[in-house]
RNA sequence: CGGGGUGUAGCUCAGCUUGGCUAGAGCGCUUGCUUCGGGAGCAAGAGGCCGCAGGUUCGAAUCCUGUCACCCCGACCA
């Protein structure tokens, strides 16, 4: 062992030491993504993209099962489309990438300069309500054309000032559902149905507990009547909005003239919804589950469930070990978990064992199996779980492992959810006084006041009088916002934690991403 | 767009204040030996127009001017 102190964790700094930097290092160590030459845009690497593909696969199945069909709309949107809905313009105008030319020509110094100015500039979609609305207007003529249930998988661009891999990038991948309905009731039902789909996905696939709720007016999607969301608590106790579902009323239908002739012979505007989740979910997954040894992938979304590490440093047994591992992989692949064959990788790369093992730890693969000559003699495997310590390994009979693998994966999945739920529970507090509320969100500076804001706070369940000015003041002063008004919040008479005015329901307050 | 900062090897950086041998370190990479149910040791090696363009000078990574890019702190945000 070297003179340097042995590294205690695979990731430095730890979450406690510097949470933001820890996050960056987990992304890097997990080989998920990296920054690109284009400011604010990321390169998603194979392991990170495989996670996204699993998110896509599962969600796409859920969308299809609820009657939606995929389609694809243009990346470019005529500038005039954005102008059609006033609130929508306000919300997005400041972060639009604009295309003004369609050609390049060589300048005098050999540099390329834009040429061929467009009559009407195009914006790169920050979201597609307007272009899809214009299309729906053509598709919808009669009540028989409704409901129209469309989803698209796409990239969008929002020219953000500050970006962080997966959490906020200038370009990101997402899905956006857009639906049109004959009645308000139907559209509201759709909005809520898709919110539940997201909550189901977050909890049962990502192992991430979420609060379903409605946004206050100030946090609402530009142009929507109501915005609903799922909010999750990250390990720094900040809230992350992981998905949104909007009831758009007739706002966009009127802006885009989505009209139909109803059964009663009346010409009516449709009622529309939109809903989306993005690659931000990968960021949510990272910050919900990872530890100071790196990523921990929920088994049901893992690109690889089991990695087999052959111990082959003795040439005379190497082939035998490799054969045993390949056969083991084959037997495992015949098993099923969460609707697909168990994914197994035999890592026979010519690397030293420790390096290899730590790479997989940092990528968060749920199960690692080490197989050497000794195990083969005993018909055993040496098994390590990602949700336990990296050195915590146990020998078990090979066949028992194969038979029990799927159950073990589900056990890990359940354990991850339980751990995240307990964490959220631990940092959620019912608060009734202004003093306690402010103390909850004011970082205690232990000793060193130069220290960046340490991890503190969480979710405060407190009454709110509904005054947007109060909400703005709290945001300004404490950096705390109302994450949502929980759908399951019971009626409860109380007084606003800030103003003392009467309130009938607690809302969720927190700092957010 | 306001305030601050940085550009030197694949990565993280030292060197610059006070100009001067062949531009350095750690990690990573390649090769060999020894280790190895564990992120090992020793040795050798590859890799740089010192962001770019001018200028001052016998001589510039270092000083001057310009320029470009990026980072951090604010306002905005899935």
């Amino acid at each position: 062992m070297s003179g340097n102190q042995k590294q205690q964790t695979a990731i430095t700094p730890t979450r406690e030491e510097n949470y933001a930097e820890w996050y960056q290092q987990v992304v890097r160590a997990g080989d998920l993504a990296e920054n690109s030459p284009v400011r604010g845009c990321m390169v998603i690497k194979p392991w990170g993209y495989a996670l996204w593909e699993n998110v896509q696969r599962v969600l796409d199945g859920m969308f299809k099962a609820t009657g939606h069909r995929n389609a694809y709309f243009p990346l470019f949107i005529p500038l005039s489309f954005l102008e059609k809905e006033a609130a929508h313009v306000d919300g997005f105008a400041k972060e639009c990438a604009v295309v003004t030319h369609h050609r390049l020509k060589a300048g005098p110094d050999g540099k390329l300069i834009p040429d061929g100015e467009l009559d009407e500039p195009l914006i790169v979609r920050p979201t597609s309500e307007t272009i899809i609305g214009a299309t729906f207007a053509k598709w919808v003529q009669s009540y028989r054309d409704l409901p129209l249930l469309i989803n698209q998988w796409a990239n969008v661009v929002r020219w953000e000032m500050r970006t962080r891999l997966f959490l906020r990038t200038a370009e990101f991948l997402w899905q956006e559902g857009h639906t049109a309905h004959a009645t308000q009731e139907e559209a509201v039902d759709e909005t809520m149905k898709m919110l539940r789909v997201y909550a189901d996905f977050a909890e049962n696939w990502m192992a991430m507990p979420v609060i379903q709720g409605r946004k206050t007016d100030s946090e609402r999607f530009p142009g929507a009547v109501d915005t609903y969301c799922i909010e999750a608590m990250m390990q720094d106790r900040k809230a992350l909005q992981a998905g949104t579902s909007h009831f758009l009323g007739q706002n966009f239908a009127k802006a885009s003239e989505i009209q139909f002739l109803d059964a009663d012979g009346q010409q009516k505007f449709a009622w529309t919804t939109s809903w989306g989740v993005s690659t931000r979910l990968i960021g949510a997954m990272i910050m919900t589950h990872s530890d100071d040894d790196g990523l921990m992938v929920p088994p049901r979304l893992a690109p690889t469930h089991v990695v087999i590490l052959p111990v082959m440093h003795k040439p005379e047994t190497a082939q035998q070990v490799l054969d045993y591992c390949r056969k083991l992989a084959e037997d495992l692949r015949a098993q099923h978990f969460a609707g697909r064959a168990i994914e197994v990788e035999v890592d026979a790369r010519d690397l030293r064992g420790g390096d290899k093992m730590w790479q997989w730890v940092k990528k968060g693969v749920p199960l690692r199996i080490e197989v050497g000559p000794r195990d083969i003699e005993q018909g055993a495997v040496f098994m390590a779980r990602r949700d336990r310590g990296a050195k915590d390994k146990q020998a078990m009979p090979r066949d028992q492992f194969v038979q029990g693998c799927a159950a073990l994966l589900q056990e890990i999945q359940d354990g991850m959810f339980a751990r995240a739920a307990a964490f959220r529970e631990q940092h959620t507090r019912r608060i009734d006084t202004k003093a306690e509320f402010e103390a909850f969100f004011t970082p205690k500076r232990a000793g060193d006041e130069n220290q960046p804001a340490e991890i503190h706070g969480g979710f405060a369940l407190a009454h709110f009088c509904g005054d947007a000015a109060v909400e703005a003041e709290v945001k300004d002063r404490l950096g705390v916002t109302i994450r949502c008004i929980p759908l399951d919040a019971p009626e409860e008479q109380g007084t606003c934690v800030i103003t003392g005015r009467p309130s009938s329901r607690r809302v969720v307050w927190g700092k957010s991403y």
Side-chain angles (χ1 to χ4, degrees), chain A residues 160-375:
Chain A
E160 303 282 358
M161 292 289 99
R162 305 272 302 273
T163 60
R164 287 179 81 186
L165 293 173
F166 289 114
L167 293 176
R168 175 165 294 108
T169 46
E171 178 192 18
F172 55 94
L173 306 183
W174 77 348
Q175 84 24 242
E176 48 183 323
H178 294 270
T179 69
H181 307 262
T183 66
Q184 171 169 4
E185 187 190 10
E186 230 183 80
V188 169
D189 285 350
E190 166 78 7
T191 307
M192 302 316 290
K193 180 198 284 177
M194 298 323 288
L195 184 72
R196 285 193 299 275
V197 164
Y198 288 155
D200 177 17
F201 178 78
E203 301 202 326
N204 294 312
W205 292 83
M206 292 176 65
M208 180 175 76
V210 292
I211 296 174
Q212 300 178 53
R214 184 166 55 83
K215 286 292 191 189
T216 60
D217 293 355
S218 57
E219 299 269 332
R220 203 199 297 134
F221 175 78
V225 171
D226 271 315
T227 286
Y228 296 86
C229 62
I230 54 173
E231 294 279 332
M233 186 190 286
M234 304 294 101
Q235 290 184 76
D236 60 355
R237 308 188 206 165
K238 282 163 77 173
L240 185 80
Q241 179 174 313
T244 50
S245 186
H246 312 292
F247 169 58
L248 303 175
Q250 292 178 308
N251 294 350
F252 284 91
K254 285 176 179 167
S256 302
E257 300 189 305
I258 307 172
Q259 298 184 76
F260 65 98
L261 197 57
D262 206 350
D264 62 8
Q266 302 286 310
Q267 187 78 357
K268 296 176 183 173
F269 286 108
W271 300 81
T272 65
T273 80
S274 69
W275 28 274
V277 298
S278 71
T279 35
R280 176 178 252 202
L281 286 179
I282 307 298
M285 183 188 298
I286 295 164
M287 289 202 293
T288 300
H289 298 304
S290 301
D291 61 17
D292 294 335
D293 283 332
L295 189 63
M296 196 183 299
V297 179
R300 301 188 81 180
L301 293 175
T304 299
H305 295 113
V306 184
V307 62
I308 300 175
L309 306 169
V311 178
M312 329 185 271
H313 53 272
K314 292 187 189 118
E316 61 273 22
T317 54
Q319 192 55 49
Q320 186 199 2
V321 169
L322 202 53
D323 289 346
Y324 184 92
C325 288
R326 296 215 164 112
K327 180 67 171 66
L328 174 62
E330 219 171 279
D331 291 352
L332 282 167
R333 288 184 188 118
Q335 305 289 315
H336 283 76
F337 172 67
R340 60 189 162 127
I342 287 181
E343 305 274 359
V344 189
E345 177 155 346
V346 177
D347 185 355
R349 288 177 302 165
D350 179 24
L351 281 181
R352 110 188 340 277
D355 287 340
K356 226 192 269 188
M357 174 193 108
W358 281 105
Q359 284 182 15
W360 290 107
V361 169
K362 288 183 282 192
K363 284 186 163 192
V365 171
L367 292 171
R368 301 188 307 279
I369 293 298
E370 298 172 10
V371 175
R374 257 184 271 157
D375 303 300

